[in-house]
Amino acid sequence: MRTKITYTLEEPLKFKQQLLQWSKQFEEIAWLDSNNYHQEHGEFDALLAVGAFTAIKTDYHQAFAKLQEYQQTTKDWIFGYLSYDLKNDVERLSSKNHDGLDFPDLYFFQPQKLFLLKDDQLEMRYLNMLDDEIEEDFTEISNLSINQIETGQPKTENSESRIQARISKEEYLHKVQKMLAYIQRGDIYEANFCQEFFAEDREIEPFKVFQDLNELSGPPFATFLKLEEHYLLSASPERYLKKSGAKLISQPIKGTARRSQNPEEDIQITKELFSDPKEQSENVMIVDLVRNDLSKIAKKASVNVDELCKVYSFKQVHQMISTVSAELDDGIPPVEALRATFPMGSMTGAPKISAMKIIEELEETKRGLYSGAVGYFTPNGDFDFNVVIRSILYNSVKKYVSFSVGGAITAGSKPEKEYEECLLKAAAMRQALKNSSSSPFPN
């Protein structure tokens, strides 16, 4: 079904830039970039899928069943996303909050052209009907001058619309207090509470903003996604779920601390994060939730915590990450592994259904793709998906720009500190959007 040709690259990093620039001509683009971040479970340095041969786009009704049929019928590489609001397909829930982005709840496509990069090796896998274009495309990409890469677009009257908060700081603090009341009543142990920042009538150059965001953050699950007018510019550090053969890997993040330019202070911040009882408690609760989700589809006694509360350092922040693994039980389709664990525990809370109901009540914005997942399936049913956090969402037709941030609220949470953590997580998105406009970004 696909013709494969492998090339050895003389300058892999330069070729990555050329490849992303070349992809701009397509209506459907999925660029997944590990930023060469060392991780035990990584398969590729980067993947690019362009041009939809077939696609599935739907709302949440029977979305996982439709995806399963599409994946099993296609039996090919497919790339796309699961929005947070697919929770309404998994459980008897609803999403009625404001939605300025208008993304479909689920969107996957079968690419015409696929590029896989690992070290200095490039695999180009084209649908057979297009295999005569492989060498021509490789030559065109290789000859593309980096200096030709656009760094922006002329400012228009509406390109500087200010980013504003959906809720004020005072409203945020009040809502966290409400969530704490639910915890004190025993309705939940923990819930992820998020807030949106947005701009209406705002034009951005998505490639430029993504490049700035990726340069600021350099995360292992960065994504540039373009599906028609819908864009995701993601600097996610978190893996949701990976399937390799029968093995499943989930790596939830809970626990965040700032970086310092002073090396000694930075080491001390890492130690304090690792030993912080509140951060450890948040992480352990979500690990238990992930273990419970995986146990629904795993072989008996196969669920293990491979790594608990390990601190990893990124350009912007330190993160506390755990790794949970399991063996997928016989006869369970790949899509069912996603459905049974979705949405991911790190973005919901515990107990999961109660937390999602309270999230819907207290948040002001429909999450949509934020806190959903982006990734791919291989022809044999393996997959790898990130968690959509630290991400900018953009509808180029509606000219609506949005990013959301949040954190886990537990009994030990202090509203002011939770708000400060939100601003810390928002820093790279704020800077990337500020770079795209001469207008000031409000504090």
Side-chain angles (χ1 to χ4, degrees):
M1 192 174 186
R2 289 189 180 271
T3 300
K4 181 177 78 171
I5 294 183
T6 301
Y7 295 93
T8 298
L9 303 174
E10 293 183 3
E11 299 179 89
L13 293 178
K14 178 183 177 183
F15 189 86
K16 278 176 60 175
Q17 292 179 281
Q18 294 168 318
L19 188 57
L20 187 57
Q21 166 67 7
W22 174 84
S23 72
K24 287 185 178 184
Q25 61 190 285
F26 296 92
E27 283 300 302
E28 300 86 16
I29 305 169
W31 170 256
L32 311 180
D33 191 353
S34 74
N35 286 295
N36 297 95
Y37 191 90
H38 176 71
Q39 50 162 316
E40 182 181 347
H41 304 289
E43 297 284 344
F44 307 103
D45 293 336
L47 293 88
L48 173 69
V50 294
F53 179 59
T54 65
I56 177 175
K57 177 171 63 172
T58 184
D59 64 15
Y60 68 85
H61 292 94
Q62 296 295 309
F64 281 104
K66 294 172 185 175
L67 176 60
Q68 181 170 312
E69 180 182 12
Y70 180 66
Q71 186 268 325
Q72 292 183 338
T73 301
T74 305
K75 286 185 167 47
D76 191 14
W77 292 82
I78 58 173
F79 290 72
Y81 69 76
L82 313 165
S83 78
Y84 172 79
D85 299 289
L86 294 185
K87 66 183 174 62
N88 307 331
D89 182 33
V90 178
E91 305 290 349
R92 295 175 63 86
L93 299 168
S94 62
S95 300
K96 298 178 181 177
N97 289 327
H98 175 78
D99 178 15
L101 285 161
D102 196 28
F103 278 45
D105 289 334
L106 180 148
Y107 200 143
F108 279 82
F109 74 99
Q110 176 188 13
Q112 297 174 8
K113 302 179 179 184
L114 177 62
F115 302 79
L116 303 92
L117 292 92
K118 182 68 173 178
D119 299 323
D120 64 349
Q121 297 297 299
L122 166 71
E123 286 185 11
M124 297 174 65
R125 303 188 184 187
Y126 281 30
L127 292 177
N128 290 342
M129 67 185 73
L130 299 170
D131 61 7
D132 60 335
E133 299 178 16
I134 292 180
E135 291 190 14
E136 180 182 346
D137 285 350
F138 177 76
T139 301
E140 180 182 341
I141 296 164
S142 300
N143 291 335
L144 188 65
S145 170
I146 296 297
N147 295 329
Q148 294 172 356
I149 295 180
E150 299 173 16
T151 56
Q153 66 181 21
K155 296 290 189 297
T156 60
E157 290 183 5
N158 61 2
S159 69
E160 299 181 359
S161 174
R162 289 170 63 93
I163 298 285
Q164 54 190 304
R166 178 65 60 187
I167 59 175
S168 67
K169 179 180 178 181
E170 291 72 24
E171 289 174 307
Y172 174 89
L173 298 177
H174 179 64
K175 287 174 179 288
V176 172
Q177 289 287 7
K178 280 189 172 182
M179 191 163 278
L180 286 170
Y182 278 117
I183 293 172
Q184 290 159 2
R185 270 177 35 180
D187 295 324
I188 51 173
Y189 303 108
E190 175 180 349
N192 194 283
F193 178 60
C194 302
Q195 59 175 317
E196 182 196 21
F197 295 86
F198 71 99
E200 297 173 300
D201 199 27
R202 170 78 177 264
E203 291 182 340
I204 64 172
E205 206 294 299
F207 280 89
K208 172 63 165 60
V209 175
F210 171 73
Q211 287 171 325
D212 286 348
L213 181 62
N214 199 38
E215 179 63 28
L216 287 164
S217 301
F221 299 101
T223 302
F224 180 93
L225 189 69
K226 175 191 177 187
L227 297 171
E228 301 170 63
E229 71 269 26
H230 306 108
Y231 290 85
L232 168 71
L233 321 173
S234 178
S236 175
E238 184 172 0
R239 170 179 276 123
Y240 157 44
L241 192 64
K242 177 183 179 180
K243 175 182 176 292
S244 182
K247 187 170 186 179
L248 298 173
I249 295 288
S250 182
Q251 295 181 291
I253 290 179
K254 272 289 165 276
T256 304
R258 66 182 179 89
R259 295 297 307 264
S260 172
Q261 294 183 351
N262 181 308
E264 291 183 1
E265 184 184 25
D266 199 51
I267 291 172
Q268 183 60 32
I269 291 170
T270 301
K271 292 178 179 177
E272 290 173 358
L273 174 59
F274 178 73
S275 60
D276 188 316
K278 174 187 173 292
E279 303 286 13
Q280 287 185 343
S281 174
E282 288 181 11
N283 197 293
V284 169
M285 276 192 273
I286 295 307
V287 166
D288 284 343
L289 192 156
V290 171
R291 289 171 61 208
N292 181 66
D293 282 348
L294 289 175
S295 68
K296 302 172 189 174
I297 51 168
K299 291 181 179 178
K300 189 175 181 180
S302 72
V303 180
N304 293 299
V305 179
D306 302 338
E307 196 171 65
L308 185 63
C309 297
K310 182 173 179 179
V311 175
Y312 287 81
S313 299
F314 301 91
K315 284 186 177 181
Q316 293 279 316
V317 292
H318 300 292
Q319 300 278 194
M320 187 180 287
I321 304 176
S322 294
T323 300
V324 186
S325 66
E327 292 291 319
L328 186 64
D329 207 354
D330 297 335
I332 294 181
V335 172
E336 178 60 18
L338 293 168
R339 191 201 68 79
T341 58
F342 195 84
M344 62 291 300
S346 62
M347 297 306 296
T348 53
K352 199 171 188 179
I353 296 174
S354 296
M356 288 191 287
K357 289 178 179 178
I358 292 169
I359 286 167
E360 177 68 21
E361 173 195 334
L362 294 180
E363 292 182 357
E364 298 287 335
T365 306
K366 179 180 174 181
R367 287 191 181 182
L369 182 48
Y370 171 70
S371 74
V374 171
Y376 64 89
F377 289 87
T378 68
N380 65 1
D382 287 345
F383 59 72
D384 201 1
F385 283 84
N386 75 357
V387 178
V388 179
I389 53 176
R390 321 289 160 83
S391 301
I392 297 166
L393 295 161
Y394 178 48
N395 184 316
S396 62
V397 171
K398 296 182 71 174
K399 298 177 183 177
Y400 188 94
V401 180
S402 169
F403 68 87
S404 294
V405 289
I409 309 302
T410 65
S413 292
K414 294 179 171 53
E416 282 280 353
K417 285 190 173 295
E418 296 296 337
Y419 188 78
E420 290 171 7
E421 183 176 315
C422 284
L423 297 184
L424 175 63
K425 291 173 177 176
M429 282 97 72
R430 292 171 59 131
Q431 187 61 45
L433 286 170
K434 185 177 181 180
N435 291 348
S436 73
S437 171
S438 59
S439 69
F441 195 107
N443 293 325

